[in-house]
Amino acid sequence: MSEVARDPLYRRHRYPAEIIAHAVWLYFRFPLSLRMVEDMLASRGIIVTHQTVRSWAEKFGRHFAREIKRRSAGCLGDKWHLDECVVAINSKKQWLWRAVDQDGFVLEGLVQSRRNAKAAKRLMRKLLKAQGRTPRVMITDKLRSYDAARRDLMPGVEHRSHKGLNNRAENSHQPTRRRERIMKRFKSARQLQRFVSIHDPIANLFHFPRNTLSSAQHRDLRNAAMQIWNKIACVAAA
């Protein structure tokens, strides 16, 4: 095991840091189940259980996501697209509120049991605290709760309320929907919140607007993202 693999982050873990970080990367980077990741590692001679992959994803994924968010603070866009989608958990409706910027980077995801002005205010407070600034413009669908919350918290911010303008936020729910199908539904609101809080920052790191990039530019950005990932995960580059 290399010196970098003995980083304190991986203390008391039997497997090398490279294996742990790769398993976490696979799970959050692609729509894979825990058992799929287990099989992919087994195909390379790495025998771990899906329960081990789950514990790695929760412990190290949280650390990696926190570090990615710290590095991206202040670098994301000033146009906020806000949207909410319903997620059925144990036959009860939960609402996943999400905000993305004009480039499709996820700013915040928040699971709540309500779809009203109080819930919209809670999302906006988290956004303001995390971003440290108000947006230049806020775009939402026709839900009136957004405007009620905006008037209280950000009265000077321009608000555009039109369903056709908010495709970017609506599309941001698709990765969660895919994972929901693979996991055969989330088991609790806490599990959903934990997943999006880790998944979204990692997805941001590997989010590239392919329709505006050449193949060479995409490769360069992907390589740069992997270098950042390796540095955050404290592993040597392959």
Side-chain angles (χ1 to χ4, degrees), residues 7 21 33 45-46 49 52-53 82 91 101 131 138 178-179 181 204 208 233:
D7 187 274
S33 70
I46 303 167
T49 66
T52 299
V53 176
L82 279 62
S91 302
D101 71 3
Q131 300 303 312
M138 185 177 79
R178 286 195 292 268
R179 189 59 62 97
R181 289 193 294 271
N204 282 348
F208 317 118

Side-chain angles (χ1 to χ4, degrees), residues 8-45:
L9 176 64
Y10 300 94
R11 187 182 295 120
R12 300 190 188 93
H13 285 270
R14 178 164 60 95
Y15 285 91
E18 289 82 359
I19 292 176
I20 296 174
H22 184 65
V24 175
W25 179 76
L26 284 173
Y27 182 66
F28 288 109
R29 179 69 181 90
F30 304 104
L32 301 172
S33 70
L34 294 167
R35 293 183 186 275
M36 289 176 183
V37 176
E38 176 187 352
D39 289 344
M40 293 176 74
L41 294 176
S43 70
R44 300 177 62 179

